Amino acid sequence: MKAKLEPRIDLKNRTPLESVIPLETPFVVFVDPSDACNFKCRFCPTSDRELMNTVKRPWKQLSFDLFKKIAVDMATFPGKVEVLRLYKDGEPLLNKHLADMIKYAKDVGASKRIDTTTNASLLTKEKSKAIADAGLDRINISIYGVSNEHYTSFSGVKLEFERVLANVRDFYEIRGNCEMLVKVNGDQLNEEEKQLFLNYFGDYTDKIYIEHTMSCWPEFKLRGVEVNSEYGIYGQKIKEVDACPYPFYSFSINSDGLVSVCFLDWARKMIVGDAKVESVPDIWNGKSMRAYRKMFLEGKRKNHSVCGNCGQMSHGLPDNIDPYKEMLLQKLDASAYFQHVPDLI
């Protein structure tokens, strides 16, 4: 197998957040090209059409004009955004302008790198060449089994596994300088099937990993999928933290331009701004984002209606700023960073 057995998150070479907070420029900005998805996965709220109607979440594509405004805004941060992540709730390849977005963001200098995540079902040779030529730096490919039956059961669609396999292998040949990672949920596979996964994809990607099941969407109950009680998503020990680190280095722009404090905010209950009418840097440094950061440093997460029961805080975190909460709160209070910021709780 040519590929390295490594998770999609670098758990070893991370910048200690406590040494850089507050950040004038985020490390990561999520921008969602598509709110819709062509899969109906049992672990994802986007797959529940009735639920989406209930929370009145739009199933739409991000317009290219709005994306251009967002990209230009991002280029005005004091520093350079490390990663523009073209992914959040849906399947990015459903947006016909995805390659145009990648190229435009590169042209205006929106970030150092651009990546995306896809289920690869739509990753045709034509689309592969388009996004690779546009300058995509990394692609994460989610695999949902090693047979047609696995895909029908787990992702809720009838799809030939051989087609997905061919798409991934074709992209590997076309990709140019784009880094590839292929991952699968191993808790749904037996040992023989896990080995098949490695055999099928191990020579056609740079990195490969078998992940564990976690519940990462607050207020959404997994349908017929059990959360792993022994390991976190990357095989790490399960350990719950109090302070969520994500709002200190990232935030998310939905397909309609509304900005969420968190990339897991599927129900749009944590909106902190609107990129259609506000500057992206202004939202990042605005009172709403700061109020969330203050809430976490003050140890009030458990009292928040959404954040209080987030599985990411136990099964999915790459960072832990709990030991530094008091120090960071004092530091930011002393600089008047939290002056006139309202309490969320």
Side-chain angles (χ1 to χ4, degrees):
M1 184 174 75
K2 296 178 182 178
K4 295 180 180 179
L5 193 64
E6 293 182 6
R8 50 184 149 144
I9 299 295
D10 186 350
L11 299 174
K12 298 178 181 178
N13 304 303
R14 301 183 68 80
T15 300
L17 288 178
E18 66 276 8
S19 68
V20 295
I21 293 173
L23 287 166
E24 288 187 301
T25 302
F27 287 159
V28 181
V29 178
F30 289 79
V31 178
D32 200 358
S34 173
D35 213 286
C37 187
N38 60 328
F39 277 17
K40 301 176 183 178
C41 300
R42 290 183 284 152
F43 63 86
C44 178
T46 298
S47 66
D48 190 329
R49 312 301 198 259
E50 184 177 341
L51 180 62
M52 293 301 97
N53 290 332
T54 300
V55 299
K56 297 181 179 179
R57 201 183 92 186
W59 259 49
K60 63 180 297 182
Q61 312 298 313
L62 175 65
S63 76
F64 189 34
D65 285 341
L66 177 54
F67 177 80
K68 288 191 286 186
K69 190 267 183 188
I70 292 168
V72 170
D73 278 2
M74 287 178 58
T76 66
F77 272 111
K80 184 78 78 173
V81 174
E82 291 289 334
V83 181
L84 166 57
R85 187 146 289 151
L86 289 173
Y87 169 75
K88 183 177 179 282
D89 291 312
E91 168 51 53
L93 287 170
L94 284 173
N95 193 312
K96 63 182 181 181
H97 295 296
L98 182 62
D100 299 323
M101 292 175 179
I102 295 167
K103 185 178 186 306
Y104 188 85
K106 285 284 185 178
D107 289 344
V108 301
S111 63
K112 293 181 181 178
R113 291 173 287 134
I114 301 175
D115 69 24
T116 193
T117 297
T118 176
N119 60 40
S121 65
L122 304 175
L123 195 63
T124 62
K125 287 184 179 180
E126 181 181 5
K127 290 183 178 180
S128 292
K129 188 174 189 313
I131 62 176
D133 288 350
L136 185 68
D137 293 291
R138 176 179 167 125
I139 189 168
N140 299 311
I141 298 176
S142 300
I143 300 299
Y144 297 92
V146 292
S147 69
N148 297 356
E149 291 73 24
H150 284 157
Y151 269 80
T152 300
S153 172
F154 198 67
S155 64
V157 296
K158 290 186 177 180
L159 184 68
E160 291 184 5
F161 170 70
E162 291 294 332
R163 171 180 153 193
V164 175
L165 180 59
N167 287 351
V168 173
R169 291 182 173 183
D170 285 342
F171 185 85
Y172 183 74
E173 299 300 326
I174 293 170
R175 68 194 174 119
N177 295 321
C178 182
E179 182 185 26
M180 290 178 66
L181 179 136
V182 177
K183 59 187 177 68
V184 72
N185 187 315
D187 293 344
Q188 311 301 314
L189 305 177
N190 60 37
E191 293 305 312
E192 181 180 352
E193 290 165 341
K194 291 177 186 178
Q195 189 58 54
L196 277 176
F197 165 73
L198 296 175
N199 293 343
Y200 283 139
F201 297 99
D203 288 333
Y204 300 93
T205 183
D206 300 303
K207 296 181 180 180
I208 195 166
Y209 205 69
I210 300 173
E211 298 183 344
H212 295 289
T213 306
M214 61 174 287
S215 177
C216 60
W217 281 285
E219 301 184 297
F220 176 73
K221 187 176 181 180
L222 303 183
R223 304 188 304 275
V225 180
E226 293 294 326
V227 174
N228 193 299
S229 60
E230 296 183 47
Y231 300 102
I233 187 171
Y234 309 118
Q236 75 276 35
K237 292 181 179 179
I238 295 173
K239 179 183 178 181
E240 187 170 15
V241 303
D242 188 32
C244 176
Y246 292 119
F248 292 92
Y249 70 88
S250 70
F251 68 158
S252 303
I253 304 175
N254 298 299
S255 64
D256 58 359
L258 293 180
V259 181
S260 296
V261 69
C262 177
F263 66 98
L264 299 173
D265 183 24
W266 63 270
R268 310 294 193 266
K269 291 185 177 181
M270 304 167 70
I271 300 300
V272 293
D274 188 344
K276 294 191 296 295
V277 295
E278 298 174 79
S279 157
V280 172
D282 283 350
I283 298 171
W284 171 253
N285 292 299
K287 288 184 178 181
S288 294
M289 282 295 295
R290 283 182 284 153
Y292 273 100
R293 295 170 189 141
K294 181 179 181 181
M295 176 188 77
F296 292 126
L297 292 181
E298 290 181 338
K300 297 179 179 179
R301 177 179 71 83
K302 285 290 188 178
N303 297 324
H304 191 272
S305 60
V306 178
C307 301
N309 192 36
C310 179
Q312 192 81 9
M313 296 301 100
S314 58
H315 283 65
L317 283 183
D319 306 289
N320 180 8
I321 60 171
D322 277 6
Y324 312 99
K325 286 191 303 181
E326 185 176 348
M327 177 271 287
L328 291 172
L329 188 60
Q330 291 176 354
K331 174 184 175 183
L332 298 180
D333 273 339
S335 66
Y337 184 81
F338 291 139
Q339 188 176 1
H340 307 306
V341 171
D343 287 330
L344 292 173
I345 304 300

